[in-house]
Amino acid sequence: MTDVFTLGEALGIITAERIRHDMEVRLDIGGPELTTAVGLARLGHAATWLGRVGADELGARIVTVLRGEGIDTSHVQTDPGASTGLAMRQRRIGRAGHVVHYRGGSAGSRLGPGDVPARAVQSAKILHVTGITPALSGTAWSAAHHAVKLARDAGLAVSVDVNYRPQLWVDRQEAVEALNELATGADVLFANQDELQLIEPAIGTVRELVVTRGGKGASSTVNGMRYDAQAAPVTVADPAGAGGAFVAGYLSGVLEELHPTDRLRRGCALAAFTVASQSNWQGLPTRAELPPLTF
């Protein structure tokens, strides 16, 4: 039995100041679902990650990292017919990071409903999915919705992170329709401030809406009551990964039945640890490292 079952695409991440000139770059792996799974595992929760990886070194690295973090990878599929996806990130001073994706036809995009193990999903306490998975392909869209249906039928909680990535969608209207369809199946819905207008039709259907605002903190509306928490003060090394880390902290609080404000505080704490690191997941804290108010 697992606490949180999540599925999505993990991929290689190359980071440099300028790809065309740099002789040295940073190679890591990432993906918001991977970050969430690692964050939960480091806090002592049982997490399962499902995805497809290529039969290549990046795929092996992803599985090795997840297993090393104590995450259940028994349902991960190795796809000999496709490569593990890749993202190239450039960080320029005073400018937002620019990301180029090499994910078309990737192993992760070939995830399908047949890869989703019904018994494993339905034995979890929470299913967590993001809006990135439906953007990858038609089969990945079907896999996410199949998992949500399995969870709903079994009566377990469904967590959805909107995670709108415009470069992965054909057009904005397609994204709006797909994300709202996914969001209406959520018990806990995560969105940043800018994503609220995308999911406005679904907001009224959600029992627990969590809104992140970067350095301004986060808020939640639970059964009509609003709660707020400030962001933890931190020197930012790289803002990537903050969303997946926040979700891990918040869902940890849900699992432990913490007060909504304390769920927000724990989410903000994990996000702070992550943005202080150059990696999406390596800086995530153990329970012993959590600040006292978020323990």
Side-chain angles (χ1 to χ4, degrees):
M1 184 173 181
T2 191
D3 291 322
V4 177
F5 187 105
T6 188
L7 69 155
E9 181 178 31
L11 63 163
I13 299 176
I14 294 175
T15 305
E17 293 300 323
R18 198 159 212 172
I19 298 293
R20 71 175 67 180
H21 296 310
D22 280 5
M23 300 299 291
E24 295 183 357
V25 299
R26 175 183 174 83
L27 174 63
D28 200 355
I29 60 169
E33 301 90 354
L34 180 147
T35 299
T36 296
V38 172
L40 287 161
R42 289 197 180 174
L43 295 181
H45 302 288
T48 299
W49 183 86
L50 168 68
R52 294 180 76 92
V53 299
D56 48 36
E57 290 300 303
L58 279 176
R61 181 168 178 162
I62 289 165
V63 175
T64 298
V65 165
L66 289 166
R67 287 176 178 166
E69 294 292 333
I71 294 162
D72 181 0
T73 61
S74 60
H75 305 289
V76 173
Q77 300 291 320
T78 299
D79 189 337
S83 301
T84 303
L86 185 69
M88 299 180 71
R89 302 176 60 235
Q90 292 190 104
R91 294 183 300 187
R92 304 291 288 159
I93 295 175
R95 298 177 61 186
H98 177 64
V99 183
V100 178
H101 294 269
Y102 298 89
R103 302 167 81 165
S106 68
S109 72
R110 288 159 55 132
L111 184 71
D115 297 321
V116 181
R119 185 173 298 178
V121 171
Q122 294 182 327
S123 66
K125 296 177 181 176
I126 298 173
L127 170 72
H128 176 67
V129 296
T130 79
I132 291 178
T133 305
L136 298 176
S137 68
T139 61
W141 182 95
S142 296
H145 282 274
H146 180 54
V148 170
K149 184 179 186 306
L150 288 170
R152 302 296 298 181
D153 289 347
L156 61 135
V158 175
S159 164
V160 174
D161 186 359
V162 174
N163 240 313
Y164 174 56
R165 298 289 186 270
Q167 62 270 44
L168 298 179
W169 292 95
V170 173
D171 60 54
R172 181 182 173 88
Q173 186 56 39
E174 180 188 37
V176 168
E177 293 173 2
L179 293 173
N180 274 282
E181 186 175 358
L182 191 66
T184 54
D187 295 291
V188 184
L189 178 63
F190 297 90
N192 64 40
Q193 184 70 48
D194 295 334
E195 292 168 337
L196 289 177
Q197 59 181 326
L198 292 172
I199 56 161
E200 187 173 356
I203 289 177
T205 69
V206 179
R207 177 179 58 82
E208 193 160 346
L209 174 66
V210 186
V211 182
T212 56
R213 298 184 173 86
K216 296 181 180 179
S219 65
S220 66
T221 303
V222 183
N223 295 324
M225 294 291 293
R226 163 123 179 201
Y227 306 90
D228 295 276
Q230 295 181 342
V234 66
T235 300
V236 177
D238 191 335
F246 178 92
V247 168
Y250 194 92
L251 291 183
S252 171
V254 171
L255 288 165
E256 296 175 21
E257 300 182 353
L258 299 184
H259 187 275
T261 301
D262 293 326
R263 299 175 194 175
L264 292 168
R265 288 172 177 165
R266 186 172 289 182
C268 288
L270 263 67
F273 273 94
T274 294
V275 301
S277 167
Q278 292 186 351
S279 171
N280 292 7
W281 59 273
Q282 291 182 30
L284 286 163
T286 63
R287 187 171 290 269
E289 294 172 318
L290 282 178
L293 287 179
T294 63
F295 186 85

